[in-house]
Amino acid sequence: QVQLQESGPGLVKPSETLSLRCSVSGGSVRTETYYWGWVRQPPGKGLEWIGDIFHTGRTNYNPSLKSRVIVSIDTPRNVFSLNLRSVTAADTAVYYCARALDDWFFDLWGRGTLVIVSS
Amino acid sequence: QSVLTQSPSASGPPGQRVTISCSGSSSNIGSNTVSWYQQVPGTAPKLLIYRNGQRPAGVPDRFSASKSGTSASLAISGLQSEDGADYYCGAWDDSLNGPVFGGGTKLTVL
């Protein structure tokens, strides 16, 4: 079955760029059915949508993060990525990659990766 | 501050029925479908309900949900100890042009 797996540094310095990758196995990102997205969860808090991408490269971002976020997709490698620049301690969170359908629910989630922003 | 509003906690003894509510507005729940997620601490959220009341394969029929106007609710009947988790509602928001979530409800099985 389809699985998602996040990877990337667990520690990022303030003002630097957080970069994560989501590897998709058991299925293709090159599908008309799904969007591929990122959701984060600060410690002890709720879920926040960051942004998403379609296999065509069309993106959609949370307005509160839009100036700092880029989500990209590499269809031959079957991965999609998150770059969040100029991070602060407020960006410390568990970052999940997830698959969404177009009436907007996330039906498949990665296990998540904790990213701490600290010097 | 979450766009969708949930009570922070709920509880009940094993076997009882518990309801978790989610309140939104005309730009989200009022005009789009609602989903519900279960998150056991330390693990990723899991889709529990989609399109207001549909259950993915493998989700027991003890879990049911409904939507009315700008509010939605999740009902869990025959509470079991393994139901203790955080529950989140979600919906597309036309103003944000993206999905939004509730702040989560921590369910304790007494």
Side-chain angles (χ1 to χ4, degrees):
Chain A
Q1 75 274 25
V2 181
Q3 292 185 317
L4 308 180
Q5 178 65 60
E6 306 88 350
S7 60
L11 180 64
V12 181
K13 290 182 168 55
S15 80
E16 295 190 345
T17 296
L18 179 161
S19 296
L20 296 174
R21 169 182 288 190
C22 182
S23 300
V24 180
S25 60
S28 175
V29 298
R30 209 175 323 201
T31 169
E32 297 296 317
T33 308
Y34 299 111
Y35 292 77
W36 306 95
W38 292 93
V39 176
R40 70 180 182 179
Q41 184 173 35
K45 296 189 178 180
L47 304 170
E48 180 183 34
W49 167 70
I50 299 170
D52 60 82
I53 192 164
F54 197 54
H55 72 92
T56 57
R58 187 178 77 222
T59 55
N60 188 27
Y61 299 131
N62 188 322
S64 69
L65 298 168
K66 186 173 184 177
S67 64
R68 299 192 291 131
V69 172
I70 295 176
V71 177
S72 57
I73 195 164
D74 186 337
T75 50
R77 293 188 174 186
N78 225 33
V79 301
F80 61 102
S81 301
L82 168 69
N83 280 275
L84 178 66
R85 65 179 182 83
S86 303
V87 297
T88 69
D91 295 310
T92 293
V94 175
Y95 285 75
Y96 296 100
C97 60
R99 186 179 76 176
L101 282 86
D102 66 2
D103 50 351
W104 279 97
F105 56 93
F106 295 94
D107 73 325
L108 186 65
W109 297 69
R111 298 175 76 172
T113 186
L114 173 62
V115 180
I116 297 173
V117 178
S118 175
S119 55
Chain B
Q1 196 81 348
S2 300
V3 174
L4 305 181
T5 301
Q6 298 181 239
S7 296
S9 63
S11 63
Q16 195 168 61
R17 183 177 187 271
V18 168
T19 300
I20 295 171
S21 63
C22 175
S23 177
S25 68
S26 58
S27 67
N28 42 65
I29 294 178
S31 53
N32 297 291
T33 62
V34 178
S35 53
W36 290 90
Y37 305 87
Q38 179 192 58
Q39 186 179 33
V40 174
T43 70
K46 169 191 166 186
L47 179 66
L48 204 60
I49 297 284
Y50 65 99
R51 293 174 188 151
N52 299 328
Q54 301 297 309
R55 284 185 306 275
V59 174
D61 59 7
R62 302 187 296 105
F63 294 89
S64 62
S66 62
K67 184 185 99 165
S68 178
T70 59
S71 294
S73 62
L74 172 72
I76 309 171
S77 60
L79 265 182
Q80 299 181 4
S81 58
E82 58 262 35
D83 297 335
D86 296 321
Y87 292 84
Y88 293 89
C89 57
W92 181 266
D93 188 285
D94 294 332
S95 298
L96 179 73
N97 195 37
V100 293
F101 297 97
T105 298
K106 182 179 182 62
L107 175 63
T108 301
V109 181
L110 302 171

